[in-house]
Structure formats: C-alpha cells, structure tokens
Amino acid sequence: EYTYGTDYHYDRDADGIVTVTLDMAGQSANTMNTRYIPMMEEILTRLQAEEGLAGVVITSAKKTFFAGGDLNGLRDIDSAGPESLAMFEANKAPFRVMEKLQVPFVAAINGAALGGGYEICLACNHRIVVDDPAAIVGLPEVTLGILPGAGGVVRLTKLLGLEKALPYLLEGKPAKPQKALKEGMVDEIVASREDLVPAAKTWIKANPETWQQPWDRKDFHYPGGDALHPRIRQTAMGAPAILYKKTRGLMPAPAKILDIAVNSMRMGVEAALRMESRGICALAVTPEAKAAINTFFFGTQAIKSGSIRPEGPAWAPRTSAILGAGMMGSGIAWAHAQAGLPAVLKDMELATAEKGKSYSAGLADKLIGRGRMTEQQKAELLARITPSTDDADFAGTDIIIEAVFEDIDLKEKVIGATFGQLSEDGIYGSNTSTLPISVLAEFCPDPTRFIGLHFFSPVDKMKVVEIIMGEKTSQDTLRKAYDYVRRIGYMPIVVNDSRGFFTSRVFSTYLDEGMALMRDGMSPVAIERAAWLTGMPVGPLAVHDETSLVLSQKIRKTHEALDKRLGVENGLPIDMEASNAVVDAMLDQGRGGRRYGGGFYDYAADGTKSLWPGLAQFAHGNGGITLDDAKDRLLYRQAIETLRCLHEGVLNTEVEANLGGIFAIGFPAHTGGAIQFIRGIGIDTFAARAAELAERYGDRFAIPEGALDRLRGAEAKA
Ligand code: NAD
C-alpha cells in the first residue's frame, strides 16, 4: 500500500500536540491535486488513532501555505452530473472530519492561503498568520467563474456574518494580515515564521477544550444578525440588485454565491455544505468558468512563463530614454520609475519635460493619499526621472522609446538622430499607434533592433504592451522587448506588423459598428445600452468621445498619406465607412469629443454628461434593429476582426488574442476574450450567426474563408 507520508511531515511533541507540515512532493506549492484527498484521509486516520492527542497544528513547508484547487482538473470537468458532485463532496469531506475530531485545530499560516488553502484554515478552530504582506488570505474563486466549494461560502458566512462575508465572497479580493485580523478572517498575528508553531501550541494549551466550531454549538448566532434579522433580510433582498448593476447579469458565479450564502443561513451545516457542492458543480461547466480558467489562469500563466518569448538569456535594461513628454511619454516615464528603471525624459522644451515628470509626482501623491506610498518612496521614484532636452543625456542607454507626435516626417528625423545613443546591445522602440513598424524601422541604421512598443492610455492603469514585430525585427530584439515589458510589470502581447496592428484594428471596428447602428437608425441611447448589456466597459459613443473624433479623423488622414507614400490603395484593412461619415458630420458641427468641449455627449461642469440632442439628425427609434442584433453586431464585429488577425498571422496565439482584447480594448472579460467567446458559443453556431448578420447587415460580418479552421484544428487536438 502506498503511503502519502512523502507529502507532509508529521511530528508529535511531548505534550501530545501533532504538527502536520504540508510539503507536497515534486511541486513548489501545496495544491488540491489528485494526491490531496488520500493524503488528507491518511493524516486524519493517523490523528484519530493517536492516544491522548491534545491538538493539531497545520502548517506548510513551502513559501506559501496552500495554493488551492487543482485547476487542471477543474478545466476538464464537462458534466455537472453525479460523478462531479461526488468529487466535490470528497474534496471537502476531510474538513468536516476535522471539525468533529474532539481536539483543537490551529492553522499556522506561513504564507498565502487562498481558495482551498483558506478553506483548510476555516475548518480550524483558530487561525494565526505571520506578519508578512505576502501572507494573504481569501477566496478568489469567483474571479475564476466558480465558488469556494470546499466549505468557503458556508463557513466564511458563519465566521463573519453575511454582511462582512459578502464582499470577500463576491469580489474574491484577498486580505493582508492586518486587514484579515481586523475583519476576523484570522485571529492572531505573529512577527515571524518561526513564531507560528509555538504560538499555535500556546493557544492549544490555553484552550484545550475549544474543539467545537461556533456554528456547531446550540447557541450559535451569526455575527451581525441571523437570517431573519431585519437588517440581514434587507441585505439579502438588496444585494441581487447591487450585484446586477455590477455584473449586468453576465456572470453566474457571484449570483450563485450570493444565493448560497443567504440560503445557507437557514440550514444545518451539512445541508448547507451539500448545497454549496451542487453550486460549484453547476458553475464549473458554464462557459464563463471555462473562459475565466482558460484565459485568466492558464492564459496569463502561459504568457508569464515565457511561452511567447524566444529562447535566450534574460535581459534587463539598466537605463532608458523616452522621447516626447506628452500624454504617453509621461505615462511611460512613470511606468519605468515605479519599476526602478531610470529614465531620461526628453522633449523640445525643458519646461515640457519637467511637466512630464510632474505627472509622476501627481500619481505618487495619489498613492500617498491612499497610504500606498511613502514620501521617501516618492522621492526615490522621482529621482529616477531626468527631464532633458539633450540627446547627450542618454548616451549609451539600453532602451529608447519614441513617443513624439504621430507624424512620420518628425519620427524619421527623431529616430535617425537618436538611434546612435543606444548601448551596444540596446533596443529601440516606437509607441506609434498607426505607423507601420517596418516603415519606421527603415529610418534607423539597424532595423533588426527596432520594434513597436505600443502602450495604452492611461499608461499607469493599462498594464499591457502590444509588442509589434517589424519585417526585419530580430528574435533577439523581441526577447529583449519581452523581458523589458515584464521587467516593468506589464503584460506583453506580441503581434506582427499590420496597419492598425491588432488592438487598434479591433477597437476601430467597435467604434465603427456603433456608428453603423446609428446610421441604420438606432437611437444613441439604445446603442449605448446595447453595448452596456454585452459587458463592454464603455459604450461606443462615449468611448469615441474619450479618444476623440478629432483623433479618428487624424488617423484616417495618416492612413491616407501612408497609402500615397507606399503606393497602395486602402491600406487599412478594415471598413470604417460608417464611422467616417458620422465623424465628418460631427466635426463640421464642432463636436470633436470630450476634450473639445463635447461630442456625442454634452459635458456639464459638475462632471455629469448627457447625450447631445443634436444626434437626432442621425437616428431615433430603433431602426427596426432588435436588441439581440445590436448586441451581436457590437461583439461579432470585434470577434471577427480578431479572428481575421489570427488568420492573417498578425496575431500568433489565441491566448494573446484573448488577453490582448480584454486588457487593451475592454472586450468583455466574462467571455474570456474574443476567441474564447467564439469557442463558448460553439464554432458552428458562431459561424451561422455571423452568416445571418452578414446577410442582414453587410459583408463586414462575413468570416474569411478558412479562418475558423485553425480553431477547429485546435479543438480536435484538445
Ligand atoms: P502628445 O502630443 O501628448 O505628446 C507628444 C510630445 O512629443 C509633445 O510633448 C511634443 O512636444 C514632443 N515632441 C515633439 N517633437 C519632439 C522631438 N523632436 N523630440 C522630443 N519630443 C518631441 O502625444 P501622445 O498622445 O503622447 O502620443 C505620442 C505617441 O504615442 C504617438 O506616436 C501616438 O500615436 C502614440 N500613442 C498615443 C496614444 C494615446 O492614447 N494618445 C496611445 C498609444 C500610442
């Protein structure tokens, strides 16, 4: 018989206290993998057989306490039937055995205890955490489209009461030690790891009889009020409406968690735990859970682990230069400085460069205001930014990022003049959003070292960079660019050169479809509402106002000029007909966007906005377009463009398509990204619906021949 003793250490001391130190073999963290249940059963069997057992301490030999559920297993579940239910029940069964064993259990939390890890702690009678900001506790399952199914919903509600438990269950945010103590999620904090087990033993000796959970006592009352307490009833009634406002009804997990938390209050522990198991069983097979697990967990992991990075040694720039201290350059300077990378920030006038630096001072002050930064840290951060007007200030720098005006002649001049300042193995990036990287690369003596580094506005919030490969960019430069982007804590998405790259192409289709709906007679308010219902963060009209109609027209002119320069016709590969017509008409009437005093919306001095009545010239009513069609037009347009990018080789991987779309453009997160959205609907169903939209509304919804083959192939392999 195989013994699992290799996955944990088991030590009984002279006082009869057993310390179980989880240390799963062959992995850096403890997880609920396939050996987990037999391991727990073995531990509990040994504990039950102990004579004179005084108490149990559970801790871990890893850096973290316990990493939680096995997402590989979860990803593979394709049925909500009895086998899945039995699996979830088996997973949580050991915790109930612990609660019934008549000795105190203490969790000695030496590092992060999330999800299943914190559920172990919840089944203990006392929780002690080390005072280390990395030792966070919480139940992030909701962010993966599921629920804490090993007792987390039921026990946290009992431990904290409904009102305090809900935010942690519905938002999945973890708590650091001090906060966790304040909230009652842990009971005690010790200064160092070494203090944990002694403190646990001290507690056991002082509380030898405290083995029964409060919720198993006859006199148990929920903190903050029982199920029928008027305030709790009010919370239970009001919460679904608050939740709907946040999730727009697009995410089944929070709704289910709320339902289970509320209903568990009127049930016995065992029945409540079983209801919770049925809940996770149902959620695990939803497209939203598959989307979250595939995209946010495995996708992010794939990118961070370097699957899109060419092989080669790690690279870390020691110095940097940013050309142009405008909106983007100032933001990039902040990104560098907050990551500890010194930056020379160059502009035409020193005053402009100084102003670019003061943008970082402003961001730092906001963080200080929120208690997230000290004056000392601010001073250090600002000392890393050197405003300048002189190229000599960045002689020998490792990375230059050009962020001057979007003007090809200016860029030619600037790139030519500054490339020579690079260190021998340094790389040159451009933040252009419209100009082809292969064209800009020709302005420097070594196009192999030139690459697109496309940041998004506002840079401090949009933590993604679209890396664009020019025709001649080397793999060596890509590797360095990837390492640079990770070095400053951003997510790299690698694409190949194409007009509008990937993100601007897809984003433009969203703007254009909003305009097309208006052209077809749908009222602006209905368009914005349809977008909201799909889960897009901002409606196409509101977001167009933000990026500005002036910019849209400028970009079109840039593309027209480029066409002329390159001798091509219609080089931008997307149909912007609807948008162009509306933009021209709006600009004729002085409606340039928010920064220009108003666009699709009027902006009041008090910060509120309302749709411009003048839009009636374009549309009113619904133009005979159903809400379903409007919603699908907005999403399918983007999904088809993403598919096209993948098909044309502008995008290399589905993972980058999904994550890039969500983080850079705001494609609805609950779908898991545009390609996962197609998979969630089903490839054939998606194709049929696109064909229907194409017939009804035009060829822009036609899926290019063969574009879905790649998805079908990958599905067949999986
Ligand atoms: P901006 O107009 O705010 O700033 C441009 C800055 O460049 C100005 O401060 C200007 O004085 C400076 N400049 C001009 N010539 C210079 C020179 N020879 N040397 C040094 N500095 C010079 O523009 P922005 O919005 O920051 O955009 C900059 C670049 O980033 C453009 O290529 C744009 O396409 C791209 N971009 C913009 C956004 C966006 O949302 N605004 C997003 C991604 C990329």
Side-chain angles (χ1 to χ4, degrees), residues 336-411:
H336 287 197
Q338 58 87 31
L341 176 62
V344 171
L345 180 58
K346 190 205 160 182
D347 210 298
M348 304 292 287
E349 306 285 336
L350 193 60
T352 317
E354 297 275 8
K355 192 171 159 241
K357 177 175 174 171
S358 67
Y359 175 74
S360 281
L363 288 178
D365 286 338
K366 271 192 201 149
L367 287 179
I368 291 173
R370 276 187 254 137
R372 298 233 181 132
M373 188 178 271
T374 62
E375 288 289 347
Q376 165 82 14
Q377 285 168 325
K378 174 186 166 188
E380 284 167 12
L381 188 151
L382 291 180
R384 290 186 201 111
I385 303 176
T386 310
S388 161
T389 55
D390 186 358
D391 294 353
D393 287 344
F394 53 92
T397 192
D398 287 334
I399 184 164
I400 296 176
I401 295 172
E402 167 281 301
V404 300
F405 296 134
E406 190 77 336
D407 172 330
I408 193 161
D409 297 321
L410 174 66
K411 294 214 192 247

Side-chain angles (χ1 to χ4, degrees), residues 45 93 180 262 389 418 665-666:
T45 305
V262 169
T389 55
T418 54
I665 308 163

Side-chain angles (χ1 to χ4, degrees), residues 137-152:
V137 300
L139 299 168
E141 282 85 346
V142 67
T143 63
L144 293 174
I146 52 170
L147 58 77

Side-chain angles (χ1 to χ4, degrees), residues 323-329 346-348 352 402-406 410-411 413-414 431-434 454-457:
L323 312 182
M327 188 163 87
M328 297 305 291
K346 190 205 160 182
D347 210 298
M348 304 292 287
T352 317
E402 167 281 301
V404 300
F405 296 134
E406 190 77 336
L410 174 66
K411 294 214 192 247
K413 202 184 88 198
V414 167
N431 185 47
T432 179
S433 34
T434 40
H454 188 205
F455 284 83
F456 298 86
S457 172

